Amino acid sequence: MIRYLRLYGHFLRFSFSKAMEFRFDFFFRVFMDTLWYAHHLAFFWILYRHTTLLGGWTLDQMLVFAGGVFLADAIQMTLFSNNLWMLPNYVNKGDLDYYLVRPVSSLFFLSLRDFAANSFVNLMMAIGLFAWVLVRYPAPLGAGAIAVYVGLVLMGCVLHYTLQMIFTIPVFWLHTSGGLREVFWALDRYTGRPHGIFTGWVRKTLVSLLPFALIVSYPTMALFDGLTWTLFAHMAGVTAAAFLLMVWMWSRGLKVYASASS
Amino acid sequence: MRLFWSMVGVEVRKRMSYRVDFWINSVVGFVTELGVAWFIVLAMFSGADRVGGFSRDGMLLYYVAIILIARLVRSTDLEWAIADDIYQGALSRYLLYPVTYGVLKYATQIGALLPALVQVALFGAWVPFVLGIPEGVHLTPATVAMSAGAIVVANALHFLSTYPIQLVAFWADNCWSLLVAHRLIAMLFGGILLPLALFPAWSQPILNALPYRYMFAFPADALLGRLSVAEYAWGLGIAVAWCGIFAAVSAAVWRRGTLQYTGVGM
């Protein structure tokens, strides 16, 4: 464990020094993410000019949900996105060999090696927005409930990463430019919308087979309606099942990986 | 002109070569985009008959129209091929050809449209059977023709608005973030995220003056018969004027950029 933490410290140092070399990219990315937050807030603000409730939530509750979406997205962008973006290239060009010969878990190395230092500023912004929406909420939420909310959003981040990997790993068999990455990004739209607006089998699918609604919607539901054991067990169970599926797919993928000719 | 159409043909063949990948991404992309919009509309209309002048089915039809039109207008917007050419040094060979680089790249974009046209025809075919023609929507051969004209201009406008952003690659290492930022702005102010009629009254003159409305909402409104002939002509005029502005900006950026272009190793 200590060895992995030390290794991650090296990843951080390397990533920050690399980010400082590409200063334009650094500021462009900060600009893009800031715009994404504004875009999201504007969407809900305009929508609530024409309705008081959406999926059972008021504007104040929806802003707390949006804060959770920002936090989950910023964590994904900072910790995982650069790494998962490059993974299909490594597989298709045979560059995966470099990672497979290292004396550490290849999944750990490939998922966390590139810390997006330019997104780190956005992570700080997302934390600020997250705190703001909680502070401005008109009723007291309670420190315990907020702590549970943060914990569940972090579990949602693990699920988000896992889902992205599940859609990227098929590159071992498909040899396309991104596996099923485009499918993931299309489905990820459901993460940014409250699960209460969905009905019937769509809602059931979004909390089980394609659990995008669990990432932030369920933690927000736990904050407002109270955490139940059923909710926690559901979210933890689906996250664990998805993680195990991802690890299994990864090991199967490595078996069919044929280096440069892959 | 022959070269232009030959570039279009090459791109069409290239696009159709990864068919499984292409269709999986297209179908899932369309279904999820429409699915999210569909449920948002149903949730909005759960306590109201009309919102922003739309009936429920009218707004659903608007979303179908604008999602399909956006496919025709955006074409290859997030592939940053121009920025890549500059960054990787591939631009050098184009500089030696006796052709205009921007025109060649526009031909590539037009070529990429053919598969998008097939998608639009297939994905749009079910609409009359499911939604019918809701009250307040006037879909006629004339509105289809008006919309087709608006889409042609919108496609050029969209290309010209992203062209100078891609040319930023002459100076910056990576400009994909700017293209994503452009897409976010265009989605919000172009009426893809929400119909522009839902925006506050004070913002309407600003939305009408910005180029984004003419990329997406304007062709959709023309298709659904929500524009008079005078409004259509005026809107088309503004769109063409924006094309001129972006073309001038692109030419200026191109001149400055090529002066300091050093080939490989940007």
Side-chain angles (χ1 to χ4, degrees):
Chain A
M1 190 64 188
I2 296 291
R3 190 163 67 102
Y4 277 86
L5 283 175
R6 234 184 15 238
L7 184 61
Y8 196 66
H10 289 300
F11 291 167
L12 287 181
R13 262 205 306 280
F14 175 73
S15 299
F16 271 101
S17 63
K18 196 176 79 173
M20 288 300 115
E21 282 175 32
F22 296 94
R23 270 166 291 184
F24 267 129
D25 185 40
F26 185 91
F27 292 114
F28 288 169
R29 196 145 162 179
V30 171
F31 173 66
M32 175 191 75
D33 283 347
T34 309
L35 222 89
W36 188 75
Y37 301 143
H39 176 264
H40 228 76
L41 292 174
F43 172 74
F44 287 123
W45 178 70
I46 294 166
L47 213 55
Y48 274 94
R49 293 184 70 252
H50 302 274
T51 183
T52 49
L53 282 178
L54 201 70
W57 285 343
T58 62
L59 175 61
D60 292 314
Q61 289 174 315
M62 195 61 79
L63 288 179
V64 172
F65 167 75
V69 172
F70 297 158
L71 186 64
D73 177 77
I75 290 172
Q76 172 80 6
M77 292 293 284
T78 309
L79 297 187
F80 305 114
S81 70
N82 281 2
N83 300 289
L84 270 57
W85 184 259
M86 292 307 293
L87 184 58
N89 275 355
Y90 297 151
V91 175
N92 289 330
K93 291 183 179 169
D95 294 342
L96 206 60
D97 303 1
Y98 169 82
Y99 300 92
L100 297 179
V101 295
R102 305 277 142 187
V104 284
S105 155
S106 57
L107 198 54
F108 169 83
F109 206 131
L110 281 153
S111 302
L112 292 167
R113 180 180 178 239
D114 192 355
F115 179 92
N118 39 16
S119 279
F120 185 66
V121 177
N122 296 102
L123 179 58
M124 295 296 109
M125 275 170 59
I127 291 171
L129 280 167
F130 186 68
W132 173 69
V133 293
L134 289 173
V135 167
R136 70 170 290 288
Y137 190 73
L141 291 166
I146 292 174
V148 167
Y149 179 48
V150 173
L152 290 179
V153 169
L154 293 177
M155 192 194 288
C157 290
V158 174
L159 179 60
H160 198 225
Y161 152 76
T162 306
L163 288 173
Q164 191 172 356
M165 279 298 279
I166 286 173
F167 282 91
T168 306
I169 290 172
V171 74
F172 282 108
W173 296 274
L174 298 173
H175 304 299
T176 52
S177 58
L180 297 172
R181 189 165 56 194
E182 297 299 320
V183 174
F184 171 80
W185 289 121
L187 292 169
D188 197 34
R189 288 191 183 102
Y190 289 107
T191 308
R193 299 291 177 258
H195 84 296
I197 66 166
F198 303 107
T199 53
W201 63 268
V202 175
R203 188 195 286 203
K204 283 181 190 149
T205 307
L206 288 175
V207 297
S208 54
L209 284 177
L210 297 168
F212 289 89
L214 291 187
I215 296 168
V216 185
S217 273
Y218 261 43
T220 313
M221 194 165 76
L223 177 67
F224 295 124
D225 302 342
L227 177 68
T228 60
W229 278 111
T230 324
L231 188 147
F232 179 77
H234 182 146
M235 201 170 157
V238 171
T239 306
F243 195 84
L244 288 174
L245 173 68
M246 184 262 289
V247 172
W248 178 78
M249 285 174 69
W250 179 253
S251 64
R252 301 289 298 180
L254 289 182
K255 280 186 184 144
V256 298
Y257 173 68
S259 193
S261 59
S262 190
Chain B
M1 206 59 194
R2 259 187 34 218
L3 181 65
F4 182 89
W5 289 114
S6 125
M7 288 295 288
V8 171
V10 168
E11 190 62 24
V12 170
R13 284 193 292 278
K14 200 171 105 188
R15 294 275 153 179
M16 299 308 274
S17 55
Y18 294 98
R19 272 167 291 196
V20 175
D21 195 30
F22 171 78
W23 283 107
I24 289 176
N25 290 334
S26 305
V27 172
V28 176
F30 175 71
V31 170
T32 50
E33 196 173 0
L34 184 62
V36 171
W38 191 280
F39 282 103
I40 286 276
V41 171
L42 295 188
M44 273 178 79
F45 279 85
S46 62
D49 290 335
R50 297 192 78 79
V51 175
F54 283 93
S55 67
R56 193 193 70 170
D57 286 354
M59 195 180 281
L60 288 173
L61 191 62
Y62 170 85
Y63 271 113
V64 174
I66 204 158
I67 288 169
L68 293 179
I69 285 170
R71 281 173 184 254
L72 296 177
V73 172
R74 281 172 176 160
S75 193
T76 59
D77 72 332
L78 281 190
E79 294 179 10
W80 42 84
I82 296 169
D84 234 27
D85 278 349
I86 297 168
Y87 190 64
Q88 306 286 349
L91 181 67
S92 307
R93 64 191 156 108
Y94 291 103
L95 293 177
L96 297 174
Y97 297 159
V99 286
T100 310
Y101 176 74
V103 176
L104 274 189
K105 286 293 158 182
Y106 189 58
T108 308
Q109 163 150 328
I110 296 293
L113 270 183
L114 186 72
L117 270 169
V118 176
Q119 285 173 24
V120 168
L122 287 177
F123 297 158
W126 59 271
V127 176
F129 303 102
V130 176
L131 287 177
I133 305 294
E135 163 258 321
V137 172
H138 309 285
L139 198 63
T140 64
T143 62
V144 172
M146 283 164 76
S147 180
I151 290 170
V152 170
V153 177
N155 182 275
L157 175 60
H158 189 271
F159 175 79
L160 287 166
S161 69
T162 55
Y163 191 50
I165 297 174
Q166 298 223 44
L167 296 183
V168 171
F170 279 120
W171 295 274
D173 321 293
N174 193 336
C175 59
W176 67 268
S177 326
L178 291 181
L179 286 167
V180 175
H182 175 273
R183 181 177 253 225
L184 292 173
I185 294 170
M187 278 177 76
L188 182 64
F189 297 135
I192 296 181
L193 211 56
L194 287 165
L196 297 181
L198 301 187
F199 282 59
W202 59 262
S203 66
Q204 295 298 331
I206 303 168
L207 294 171
N208 289 339
L210 290 172
Y212 307 107
R213 176 178 178 226
Y214 306 98
M215 292 177 191
F216 306 111
F218 184 71
D221 285 339
L223 179 70
L224 303 179
R226 293 167 58 88
L227 297 174
S228 68
V229 174
E231 286 170 329
Y232 177 74
W234 179 249
L236 219 51
I238 296 177
V240 171
W242 272 111
C243 285
I245 292 168
F246 283 122
V249 171
S250 301
V253 178
W254 172 262
R255 261 196 309 275
R256 294 290 299 269
T258 45
L259 281 179
Q260 65 138 51
Y261 174 68
T262 53
V264 182
M266 287 294 286

